[in-house]
Amino acid sequence: MRRTTQLSALPADERTAPGQSIDSEPDTEALAEIRLALVPGIGPRLRQALIDRFGSASAIFAAAPDQLRAVEGIGPKLTRALSAATDDGAAREELALCRRHGVELLLSSRPGYPRALAEIHDPPGLLYAAGEIRSCDALAVAIVGSRHATHYGLEQAERLAASLARAGVTVVSGMARGIDGAAHRAALEAGGRTIAVLGSGLLELYPPEHLGLAEKIRRQGAVLSELPLRTKPLAGTFPQRNRLISGLSMGIIVVEASQRSGALITARHAAEQGRDVFAVPGRVDNRMSQGCHRLIRDGAKLVETVDDVLEELGPLVAATEGPNGEELRHPAELLLNEIEQQVLAAIRSEVTTIDAVVETSGLEVSRVLATISALEVRRLIRRVSGNAVRRV
């Protein structure tokens, strides 16, 4: 049995309301999503199969037993379990518990739910959130690795996480011992944002010695779980949560991993979700480097510095706010110097003449032309003709 501990309650004025507010009377659909999450045996894939068939959580509970059994994977036992969840008493108790501990519920059908996560093939219907999810968290990179990290691995995780945080990138990880904890701490110390995804309920925090870390993360980001608050950490819940770590991120960096590491499961989820996979090389005679070296042989990008990551990531699905309040469309924009930022700001999504860029930026023609070439190399703009460009 894993020993756990609880997050302490937040004062009411520290709560945020990025999604479905728990302070207002919940609607039928919100309660139905919680009821569905509380039904034993309904994991993310079966939930998605039910939603695909019936359209909503409330419609699932309105379905007849023979309709439920028609869904692949739903046998007599799960049909009885769904039919037995006839009232929302347990769901209301769960909401009251959320209120007491300052936990918000983010529903996939509501504003505030992470857009990137909504796009994976088996997203959770709701997320329990201690802290706040912001629009800038769309620019996120995960750092994962071994719980039994070496000194070298911890150093690399800290270096990369701090560099990402200083650049304005949200660092995502699983708050486990080893690499995960090092990445979260480094992001916090650099003054950046970080998100932790748990393999347990928020009131069964694991590992217990990370309670203080969880409280700091809540203040500078969010601690998330798809599991009901009192869910104990079990072996099967950690691989399940790994898809959320990758789903929240544009790419993942594996720092250290043995051949059987859970970090490799996260890397597999990332590849299936169309996320970029990066790996940090290590000593050839260290078993904690074997997983990373295998990933690199299989096509993962080798990482030495954060520049290797930001230059490789694709454009954001939607523009977000950069660390200085500017509109950001591509992670590579975080690497630009002042002149490059000035020229890029003068180029629009529609075709923009170079004369217009010169006039708007106030720079000399020669400087603008040289900078445009640099921005082309970074794949941030595209030359439309000899005298016109546009943002990618």
Side-chain angles (χ1 to χ4, degrees):
M1 175 69 72
R2 291 183 169 93
R3 188 168 64 88
T4 60
T5 191
Q6 292 187 10
L7 284 168
S8 59
L10 277 182
D13 61 356
E14 291 187 35
R15 299 192 206 116
T16 57
Q20 170 67 33
S21 171
I22 60 173
D23 292 321
S24 58
E25 178 64 19
D27 59 30
T28 303
E29 196 55 41
L31 288 170
E33 281 286 5
I34 300 169
R35 286 168 62 194
L36 188 58
L38 293 172
V39 175
I42 301 297
R45 294 185 183 277
L46 286 180
R47 178 201 171 273
Q48 193 59 45
L50 288 163
I51 292 293
D52 289 343
R53 170 64 178 83
F54 298 106
S56 67
S58 56
I60 293 169
F61 289 109
D66 60 329
Q67 293 176 309
L68 294 171
R69 286 194 297 272
V71 177
E72 185 176 357
I74 303 297
K77 183 177 179 180
L78 286 178
T79 298
R80 288 193 297 271
L82 287 165
S83 299
T86 54
D87 63 63
D88 59 15
R92 289 182 179 274
E93 288 178 11
E94 184 81 351
L95 278 172
L97 199 57
C98 286
R99 183 178 296 113
R100 288 200 297 273
H101 291 273
V103 173
E104 291 293 332
L105 292 177
L106 307 181
L107 272 66
S108 60
S109 57
R110 303 292 167 83
Y113 190 90
R115 179 171 180 170
L117 197 57
E119 294 170 352
I120 69 174
H121 71 279
D122 53 353
L126 61 84
L127 285 171
Y128 294 81
E132 180 183 12
I133 296 292
R134 298 178 182 173
S135 60
C136 63
D137 294 328
L139 183 59
V141 170
I143 296 180
V144 296
S146 175
R147 289 173 169 80
H148 308 288
T150 66
H151 179 70
Y152 165 81
L154 295 174
E155 272 190 338
Q156 300 313 307
E158 290 166 358
R159 178 176 64 87
L160 292 168
S163 296
L164 286 168
R166 284 193 290 268
V169 177
T170 299
V171 174
V172 180
S173 198
M175 214 177 72
R177 299 182 178 104
I179 296 299
D180 291 20
H184 287 305
R185 290 189 185 94
L188 292 169
E189 290 169 6
R193 288 183 57 76
T194 185
I195 294 173
V197 187
L198 304 187
S200 63
L202 294 187
L203 297 188
E204 297 292 343
L205 193 73
Y206 181 83
E209 66 267 26
H210 281 179
L211 174 61
L213 176 60
E215 295 290 354
K216 292 177 182 176
I217 293 171
R218 171 151 56 175
R219 292 193 291 271
Q220 266 176 249
V223 182
L224 304 179
S225 177
E226 66 178 318
L227 301 169
L229 294 174
R230 299 288 191 188
T231 303
K232 301 283 187 181
L234 301 171
T237 60
F238 289 94
Q240 178 178 310
R241 70 88 191 263
N242 289 348
R243 82 191 197 287
L244 306 185
I245 292 175
S246 56
L248 286 163
S249 310
M250 299 187 71
I252 74 158
I253 305 171
V254 182
V255 176
E256 278 190 329
S258 66
Q259 292 281 18
R260 297 172 60 85
S261 173
L264 300 185
I265 297 175
T266 311
R268 187 180 71 243
H269 283 305
E272 292 171 351
Q273 294 164 351
R275 278 35 171 182
D276 288 298
V277 178
F278 304 88
V280 176
R283 289 176 56 102
V284 295
D285 59 352
N286 182 356
R287 71 181 185 87
M288 288 303 169
S289 300
Q290 292 174 353
C292 291
H293 293 168
R294 191 180 90 193
L295 287 173
I296 293 169
R297 286 195 298 270
D298 291 343
K301 289 84 173 178
L302 185 150
V303 174
E304 293 179 329
T305 70
V306 163
D307 289 12
D308 298 328
V309 177
L310 298 180
E311 289 174 350
E312 190 68 34
L313 293 173
L316 293 160
V317 174
T320 188
E321 185 178 306
N324 299 315
E326 75 281 17
E327 184 182 80
L328 200 67
R329 305 185 189 183
H330 197 293
E333 294 175 31
L334 296 170
L335 301 173
L336 302 182
N337 60 38
E338 187 176 345
I339 296 297
E340 290 169 334
Q341 291 174 353
Q342 200 171 338
V343 171
L344 184 63
I347 300 173
R348 299 184 296 275
S349 297
E350 59 268 21
V351 175
T352 309
T353 66
I354 292 176
D355 288 342
V357 177
V358 171
E359 181 179 352
T360 303
S361 66
L363 299 170
E364 297 176 357
V365 175
S366 59
R367 179 63 65 87
V368 168
L369 291 173
T371 304
I372 282 176
S373 296
L375 294 175
E376 279 187 283
V377 170
R378 292 187 184 275
R379 295 175 293 175
L380 297 175
I381 65 170
R382 182 177 300 143
R383 194 179 289 271
V384 179
S385 65
N387 66 343
V389 293
R390 61 174 296 177
R391 292 280 290 267
V392 173

